[in-house]
Amino acid sequence: MTAAAQLITEPHLDVPDDFYQALIETHQSLSEAESHALNARLVLLLANHIGALPVLREAFAAARAALPRTA
């Protein structure tokens, strides 16, 4: 990734339904704790793949902004 890379936020998956199915299957038969650990490991693996801290910061901000607000 170059320093000018930006987070892609528009749909970009080749086969989104297949991706979702694979993600769900990966979580099958895991406990809640195991599922959380798997998600954490996926975040770290994908962050390493992206590599560019500015892009990762954009992703952090976008994910946090999408959370529902609580009182």
Side-chain angles (χ1 to χ4, degrees):
M1 277 264 151
T2 65
Q6 292 184 325
L7 182 67
I8 298 169
T9 57
E10 63 275 351
H12 190 65
L13 293 169
D14 292 336
V15 282
D17 291 340
D18 291 350
F19 160 75
Y20 184 74
Q21 181 178 350
L23 181 61
I24 295 304
E25 288 172 358
T26 301
H27 283 269
Q28 279 184 332
S29 77
L30 297 179
S31 68
E32 185 175 353
E34 290 169 329
S35 183
H36 288 306
L38 173 65
N39 283 336
R41 184 68 182 141
L42 282 169
V43 167
L44 294 174
L45 286 167
L46 294 171
N48 184 67
H49 180 75
I50 293 167
L53 185 57
V55 175
L56 295 168
R57 289 186 189 275
E58 282 185 67
F60 298 154
R64 186 157 183 142
L67 292 174
R69 298 265 183 205
T70 58

Coordinates of all heavy atoms in Angstrom, one line a residue:
M1 N 0.8 -1.2 0.0 CA 0.0 0.0 0.0 C 0.9 1.2 0.0 O 1.9 1.3 0.7 CB -0.8 0.1 1.3 CG -2.1 -0.7 1.4 SD -3.6 0.0 1.1 CE -4.3 -1.6 0.7
T2 N 0.4 2.2 -0.7 CA 1.2 3.5 -0.7 C 0.6 4.4 0.4 O -0.4 4.2 0.9 CB 1.0 4.2 -2.1 OG1 -0.4 4.5 -2.2 CG2 1.5 3.2 -3.2
A3 N 1.4 5.4 0.7 CA 1.0 6.4 1.7 C -0.3 7.1 1.3 O -1.0 7.6 2.1 CB 2.1 7.4 1.9
A4 N -0.6 7.1 0.0 CA -1.8 7.8 -0.5 C -3.1 6.9 -0.4 O -4.1 7.4 -0.8 CB -1.6 8.4 -1.9
A5 N -2.9 5.7 0.0 CA -4.0 4.8 0.0 C -5.1 5.3 1.0 O -4.8 5.8 2.0 CB -3.6 3.4 0.4
Q6 N -6.4 5.0 0.6 CA -7.5 5.4 1.4 C -8.4 4.2 1.6 O -8.4 3.2 0.8 CB -8.3 6.5 0.7 CG -7.6 7.8 0.7 CD -8.5 8.9 0.1 OE1 -9.3 8.7 -0.8 NE2 -8.3 10.1 0.7
L7 N -9.1 4.2 2.7 CA -10.1 3.1 3.0 C -11.2 3.1 1.9 O -11.8 4.1 1.5 CB -10.7 3.4 4.3 CG -11.7 2.3 4.8 CD1 -10.9 1.0 5.1 CD2 -12.4 2.8 6.1
I8 N -11.4 1.9 1.4 CA -12.5 1.7 0.4 C -13.8 1.4 1.2 O -13.8 0.4 2.0 CB -12.2 0.5 -0.5 CG1 -10.9 0.7 -1.3 CG2 -13.4 0.2 -1.4 CD1 -10.4 -0.5 -2.0
T9 N -14.8 2.2 1.1 CA -16.0 2.1 1.9 C -17.2 1.7 1.0 O -18.2 1.3 1.6 CB -16.3 3.4 2.7 OG1 -16.4 4.5 1.7 CG2 -15.3 3.7 3.7
E10 N -17.1 1.8 -0.3 CA -18.2 1.3 -1.1 C -18.1 -0.2 -1.3 O -17.0 -0.8 -1.1 CB -18.2 2.0 -2.5 CG -17.0 1.8 -3.4 CD -15.9 2.7 -3.1 OE1 -16.0 3.7 -2.3 OE2 -14.8 2.4 -3.7
P11 N -19.1 -0.9 -1.6 CA -19.1 -2.4 -1.8 C -17.9 -2.8 -2.7 O -17.7 -2.2 -3.8 CB -20.4 -2.7 -2.4 CG -21.3 -1.6 -1.9 CD -20.5 -0.4 -1.9
H12 N -17.1 -3.7 -2.3 CA -15.9 -4.1 -3.0 C -15.7 -5.6 -3.0 O -14.7 -6.0 -3.7 CB -14.7 -3.4 -2.3 CG -13.4 -3.4 -3.1 ND1 -13.3 -2.8 -4.3 CD2 -12.3 -4.0 -2.8 CE1 -12.0 -3.1 -4.7 NE2 -11.4 -3.8 -3.8
L13 N -16.5 -6.4 -2.4 CA -16.3 -7.8 -2.4 C -16.8 -8.4 -3.7 O -17.9 -8.1 -4.2 CB -17.1 -8.5 -1.2 CG -16.6 -8.1 0.2 CD1 -17.6 -8.6 1.2 CD2 -15.2 -8.7 0.4
D14 N -16.0 -9.4 -4.2 CA -16.4 -10.1 -5.5 C -17.7 -10.8 -5.3 O -18.6 -10.7 -6.1 CB -15.3 -11.0 -5.9 CG -14.1 -10.4 -6.3 OD1 -14.1 -9.2 -6.7 OD2 -13.0 -11.0 -6.3
V15 N -17.8 -11.6 -4.2 CA -19.0 -12.4 -3.9 C -19.4 -12.2 -2.5 O -19.0 -13.0 -1.6 CB -18.8 -13.9 -4.3 CG1 -18.8 -14.1 -5.8 CG2 -17.4 -14.4 -3.8
P16 N -20.1 -11.1 -2.1 CA -20.4 -10.9 -0.7 C -21.2 -12.0 0.0 O -20.9 -12.2 1.2 CB -21.2 -9.5 -0.8 CG -21.6 -9.4 -2.2 CD -20.7 -10.2 -3.0
D17 N -22.1 -12.6 -0.7 CA -22.8 -13.7 0.0 C -21.9 -14.9 0.3 O -22.1 -15.4 1.4 CB -24.0 -14.2 -0.9 CG -25.1 -13.1 -1.0 OD1 -25.2 -12.2 -0.2 OD2 -25.9 -13.2 -2.0
D18 N -21.0 -15.2 -0.6 CA -20.1 -16.3 -0.3 C -19.1 -15.9 0.9 O -18.8 -16.7 1.7 CB -19.2 -16.6 -1.5 CG -20.1 -17.3 -2.6 OD1 -21.2 -17.6 -2.4 OD2 -19.5 -17.4 -3.7
F19 N -18.7 -14.6 0.9 CA -17.9 -14.2 2.0 C -18.6 -14.3 3.3 O -18.1 -14.8 4.3 CB -17.5 -12.7 1.8 CG -17.0 -12.0 3.1 CD1 -15.8 -12.3 3.7 CD2 -17.9 -11.2 3.8 CE1 -15.4 -11.7 4.9 CE2 -17.5 -10.6 5.0 CZ -16.3 -10.9 5.5
Y20 N -19.9 -13.8 3.4 CA -20.7 -13.9 4.6 C -20.9 -15.4 5.0 O -20.7 -15.7 6.2 CB -22.0 -13.2 4.4 CG -22.8 -13.2 5.7 CD1 -22.5 -12.3 6.7 CD2 -23.9 -14.0 5.9 CE1 -23.2 -12.3 7.9 CE2 -24.6 -14.0 7.0 CZ -24.3 -13.1 8.0 OH -25.0 -13.1 9.2
Q21 N -21.1 -16.2 4.1 CA -21.3 -17.7 4.4 C -20.0 -18.2 5.0 O -20.1 -19.0 6.0 CB -21.8 -18.4 3.2 CG -22.0 -19.9 3.5 CD -22.5 -20.7 2.3 OE1 -22.8 -20.1 1.2 NE2 -22.5 -22.0 2.4
A22 N -18.9 -17.9 4.4 CA -17.6 -18.4 4.9 C -17.3 -17.9 6.3 O -16.8 -18.6 7.2 CB -16.5 -18.0 3.9
L23 N -17.7 -16.6 6.5 CA -17.5 -16.1 7.9 C -18.3 -16.8 8.9 O -17.8 -17.1 10.0 CB -17.8 -14.6 7.8 CG -17.6 -13.8 9.2 CD1 -16.1 -13.9 9.6 CD2 -18.0 -12.4 9.0
I24 N -19.6 -17.0 8.6 CA -20.5 -17.7 9.5 C -20.0 -19.1 9.8 O -20.0 -19.6 10.9 CB -21.9 -17.7 9.0 CG1 -22.5 -16.2 8.9 CG2 -22.8 -18.5 9.8 CD1 -22.4 -15.5 10.2
E25 N -19.6 -19.8 8.7 CA -19.1 -21.2 8.9 C -17.8 -21.2 9.7 O -17.7 -22.2 10.5 CB -18.8 -21.8 7.5 CG -20.1 -22.1 6.7 CD -19.9 -22.5 5.3 OE1 -18.7 -22.5 4.8 OE2 -20.8 -22.8 4.6
T26 N -17.0 -20.2 9.6 CA -15.8 -20.2 10.4 C -16.1 -20.1 11.9 O -15.4 -20.6 12.7 CB -14.9 -19.0 10.0 OG1 -14.6 -19.1 8.6 CG2 -13.6 -18.9 10.8
H27 N -17.2 -19.4 12.2 CA -17.6 -19.3 13.6 C -18.5 -20.4 14.2 O -18.7 -20.5 15.4 CB -18.4 -18.0 13.8 CG -17.6 -16.7 13.8 ND1 -17.1 -16.2 14.9 CD2 -17.1 -16.0 12.8 CE1 -16.3 -15.1 14.6 NE2 -16.4 -15.0 13.3
Q28 N -18.9 -21.3 13.3 CA -19.8 -22.4 13.7 C -19.1 -23.3 14.8 O -17.9 -23.5 14.7 CB -20.2 -23.3 12.6 CG -21.3 -22.8 11.8 CD -21.7 -23.7 10.7 OE1 -20.9 -24.5 10.2 NE2 -23.0 -23.6 10.3
S29 N -19.9 -23.6 15.8 CA -19.5 -24.5 16.9 C -18.4 -23.9 17.9 O -17.9 -24.6 18.7 CB -19.0 -25.9 16.4 OG -17.7 -25.8 15.9
L30 N -18.2 -22.6 17.7 CA -17.3 -21.9 18.7 C -18.1 -21.3 19.8 O -19.3 -20.9 19.6 CB -16.6 -20.8 18.0 CG -15.6 -21.1 16.8 CD1 -15.0 -19.9 16.3 CD2 -14.6 -22.1 17.3
S31 N -17.5 -21.3 21.0 CA -18.2 -20.6 22.1 C -18.1 -19.1 21.9 O -17.4 -18.6 20.9 CB -17.4 -20.9 23.4 OG -16.1 -20.3 23.4
E32 N -18.8 -18.3 22.7 CA -18.8 -16.9 22.5 C -17.4 -16.3 22.7 O -16.9 -15.5 21.9 CB -19.7 -16.2 23.5 CG -19.8 -14.7 23.3 CD -20.8 -14.0 24.2 OE1 -21.6 -14.8 24.9 OE2 -20.9 -12.8 24.2
A33 N -16.6 -16.9 23.7 CA -15.3 -16.4 23.9 C -14.4 -16.8 22.7 O -13.5 -16.0 22.3 CB -14.7 -17.0 25.2
E34 N -14.5 -18.0 22.2 CA -13.7 -18.4 21.0 C -14.1 -17.6 19.8 O -13.2 -17.2 19.0 CB -14.0 -19.9 20.7 CG -13.4 -20.8 21.7 CD -13.9 -22.3 21.6 OE1 -15.1 -22.5 21.1 OE2 -13.1 -23.2 21.9
S35 N -15.3 -17.2 19.6 CA -15.8 -16.4 18.5 C -15.1 -15.0 18.6 O -14.7 -14.4 17.6 CB -17.3 -16.3 18.5 OG -17.7 -15.6 17.4
H36 N -15.1 -14.5 19.8 CA -14.5 -13.1 20.0 C -13.0 -13.2 19.7 O -12.4 -12.3 19.1 CB -14.7 -12.6 21.4 CG -16.1 -12.2 21.7 ND1 -16.8 -11.3 20.9 CD2 -17.0 -12.5 22.7 CE1 -18.0 -11.1 21.4 NE2 -18.2 -11.8 22.4
A37 N -12.3 -14.3 20.2 CA -10.9 -14.5 19.9 C -10.6 -14.6 18.4 O -9.7 -14.0 17.9 CB -10.4 -15.7 20.7
L38 N -11.5 -15.3 17.7 CA -11.4 -15.5 16.3 C -11.5 -14.1 15.6 O -10.7 -13.8 14.7 CB -12.4 -16.4 15.7 CG -12.5 -16.5 14.2 CD1 -11.2 -17.1 13.6 CD2 -13.7 -17.3 13.8
N39 N -12.5 -13.3 16.0 CA -12.7 -12.0 15.4 C -11.4 -11.1 15.7 O -11.0 -10.4 14.8 CB -13.9 -11.3 16.0 CG -15.2 -11.8 15.3 OD1 -15.1 -12.4 14.2 ND2 -16.3 -11.7 16.0
A40 N -10.9 -11.2 16.9 CA -9.7 -10.4 17.2 C -8.5 -10.8 16.3 O -7.8 -10.0 15.8 CB -9.3 -10.5 18.7
R41 N -8.4 -12.1 16.1 CA -7.3 -12.6 15.3 C -7.5 -12.2 13.8 O -6.5 -11.8 13.1 CB -7.2 -14.1 15.4 CG -6.0 -14.7 14.6 CD -4.7 -14.4 15.3 NE -3.6 -14.9 14.5 CZ -2.5 -14.3 14.2 NH1 -2.3 -13.1 14.7 NH2 -1.6 -14.9 13.5
L42 N -8.7 -12.2 13.4 CA -9.0 -11.8 12.0 C -8.7 -10.3 11.8 O -8.1 -9.9 10.8 CB -10.5 -12.0 11.7 CG -10.9 -13.4 11.3 CD1 -12.4 -13.5 11.2 CD2 -10.3 -13.8 10.0
V43 N -9.0 -9.5 12.8 CA -8.7 -8.0 12.7 C -7.2 -7.9 12.6 O -6.7 -7.1 11.8 CB -9.2 -7.3 14.0 CG1 -8.6 -5.9 14.1 CG2 -10.7 -7.2 13.9
L44 N -6.4 -8.6 13.4 CA -5.0 -8.4 13.4 C -4.4 -8.9 12.1 O -3.5 -8.3 11.5 CB -4.3 -9.2 14.6 CG -4.6 -8.6 15.9 CD1 -4.1 -9.5 17.0 CD2 -4.1 -7.2 16.0
L45 N -4.9 -10.1 11.6 CA -4.4 -10.6 10.3 C -4.7 -9.6 9.1 O -3.8 -9.3 8.3 CB -5.0 -11.9 10.0 CG -4.5 -13.1 10.8 CD1 -5.4 -14.3 10.6 CD2 -3.1 -13.4 10.3
L46 N -5.9 -9.1 9.1 CA -6.3 -8.2 8.0 C -5.6 -6.8 8.1 O -5.2 -6.2 7.1 CB -7.8 -8.1 8.0 CG -8.6 -9.4 7.6 CD1 -10.1 -9.2 7.7 CD2 -8.2 -9.8 6.2
A47 N -5.4 -6.4 9.4 CA -4.7 -5.1 9.6 C -3.2 -5.3 9.1 O -2.7 -4.4 8.4 CB -4.7 -4.7 11.1
N48 N -2.6 -6.4 9.4 CA -1.3 -6.7 8.9 C -1.3 -6.7 7.3 O -0.4 -6.2 6.7 CB -0.7 -8.0 9.4 CG 0.7 -8.2 9.0 OD1 1.6 -7.5 9.4 ND2 0.9 -9.2 8.2
H49 N -2.3 -7.3 6.7 CA -2.4 -7.3 5.3 C -2.5 -5.9 4.7 O -1.8 -5.6 3.7 CB -3.6 -8.2 4.8 CG -3.7 -8.3 3.4 ND1 -2.9 -9.0 2.6 CD2 -4.6 -7.7 2.5 CE1 -3.3 -8.9 1.3 NE2 -4.3 -8.1 1.3
I50 N -3.3 -5.1 5.3 CA -3.5 -3.7 4.9 C -2.2 -2.9 5.1 O -1.7 -2.3 4.1 CB -4.6 -3.0 5.6 CG1 -5.9 -3.6 5.2 CG2 -4.6 -1.5 5.3 CD1 -7.1 -3.3 6.1
G51 N -1.6 -3.0 6.3 CA -0.3 -2.4 6.6 C -0.2 -0.9 6.7 O 0.7 -0.5 7.5
A52 N -1.0 -0.1 6.1 CA -0.9 1.3 6.2 C -1.7 1.9 7.4 O -3.0 1.8 7.4 CB -1.4 1.9 4.9
L53 N -1.0 2.4 8.3 CA -1.7 2.9 9.5 C -2.7 4.0 9.2 O -3.8 4.0 9.8 CB -0.7 3.5 10.5 CG -1.2 3.9 11.9 CD1 -2.0 2.8 12.6 CD2 -0.1 4.5 12.8
P54 N -2.5 4.9 8.3 CA -3.6 5.9 7.9 C -4.9 5.2 7.5 O -6.0 5.6 7.8 CB -3.0 6.7 6.8 CG -1.5 6.6 7.0 CD -1.3 5.2 7.5
V55 N -4.8 4.1 6.7 CA -6.0 3.4 6.2 C -6.6 2.7 7.4 O -7.9 2.7 7.6 CB -5.6 2.4 5.1 CG1 -6.8 1.6 4.7 CG2 -5.0 3.1 3.9
L56 N -5.8 2.1 8.3 CA -6.4 1.5 9.5 C -7.1 2.5 10.4 O -8.1 2.2 10.9 CB -5.3 0.7 10.2 CG -4.7 -0.4 9.5 CD1 -3.4 -0.9 10.1 CD2 -5.7 -1.6 9.3
R57 N -6.5 3.6 10.5 CA -7.2 4.7 11.4 C -8.5 5.1 10.8 O -9.5 5.3 11.5 CB -6.3 5.9 11.5 CG -5.1 5.7 12.5 CD -4.3 7.0 12.7 NE -3.1 6.7 13.4 CZ -2.9 6.6 14.7 NH1 -4.0 6.7 15.5 NH2 -1.7 6.4 15.2
E58 N -8.6 5.2 9.4 CA -9.8 5.5 8.8 C -10.9 4.4 9.1 O -12.0 4.6 9.4 CB -9.7 5.5 7.3 CG -9.1 6.8 6.7 CD -9.1 6.8 5.2 OE1 -10.2 6.9 4.6 OE2 -8.0 6.8 4.6
A59 N -10.4 3.1 9.1 CA -11.3 2.0 9.3 C -11.8 2.0 10.8 O -12.9 1.8 11.1 CB -10.6 0.7 9.1
F60 N -10.9 2.3 11.7 CA -11.3 2.5 13.1 C -12.4 3.5 13.3 O -13.4 3.3 14.0 CB -10.1 2.8 14.0 CG -8.9 1.8 14.1 CD1 -7.7 2.3 14.3 CD2 -9.1 0.5 13.8 CE1 -6.6 1.4 14.4 CE2 -8.1 -0.4 13.8 CZ -6.8 0.0 14.1
A61 N -12.1 4.7 12.7 CA -13.1 5.8 12.8 C -14.4 5.4 12.2 O -15.5 5.7 12.7 CB -12.5 7.1 12.2
A62 N -14.4 4.8 11.0 CA -15.6 4.4 10.3 C -16.4 3.4 11.1 O -17.6 3.5 11.3 CB -15.3 3.9 8.9
A63 N -15.7 2.4 11.7 CA -16.4 1.4 12.5 C -17.0 2.0 13.7 O -18.1 1.7 14.1 CB -15.4 0.3 12.8
R64 N -16.3 2.9 14.4 CA -16.8 3.5 15.6 C -17.9 4.4 15.3 O -18.9 4.4 16.1 CB -15.7 4.2 16.3 CG -16.1 4.8 17.6 CD -15.0 5.0 18.6 NE -15.5 5.4 19.8 CZ -15.0 5.1 21.0 NH1 -14.0 4.3 21.0 NH2 -15.6 5.5 22.1
A65 N -17.9 5.1 14.2 CA -19.0 6.0 13.9 C -20.3 5.3 13.5 O -21.4 5.8 13.7 CB -18.6 6.9 12.7
A66 N -20.1 4.0 13.1 CA -21.3 3.2 12.8 C -22.0 2.6 14.0 O -23.1 2.1 13.8 CB -20.9 2.1 11.8
L67 N -21.4 2.7 15.1 CA -22.0 2.2 16.3 C -23.2 3.0 16.8 O -23.2 4.2 16.6 CB -21.0 2.1 17.5 CG -19.8 1.2 17.4 CD1 -18.9 1.4 18.5 CD2 -20.3 -0.3 17.3
P68 N -24.2 2.3 17.2 CA -25.4 3.1 17.7 C -25.0 3.9 19.0 O -24.2 3.4 19.8 CB -26.4 2.0 18.1 CG -25.7 0.7 18.1 CD -24.4 0.9 17.4
R69 N -25.5 5.1 19.0 CA -25.3 5.9 20.2 C -26.1 5.5 21.4 O -27.3 5.2 21.2 CB -25.6 7.4 19.9 CG -24.7 7.9 18.8 CD -23.5 8.6 19.3 NE -22.7 9.2 18.3 CZ -21.5 9.5 18.4 NH1 -20.9 9.2 19.5 NH2 -20.8 10.0 17.4
T70 N -25.6 5.5 22.5 CA -26.3 5.2 23.7 C -26.4 6.5 24.6 O -25.5 7.4 24.4 CB -25.7 4.1 24.6 OG1 -24.4 4.4 24.9 CG2 -25.7 2.8 23.8
A71 N -27.4 6.6 25.4 CA -27.6 7.8 26.2 C -26.4 7.9 27.1 O -25.5 8.3 27.2 CB -28.8 7.6 27.1

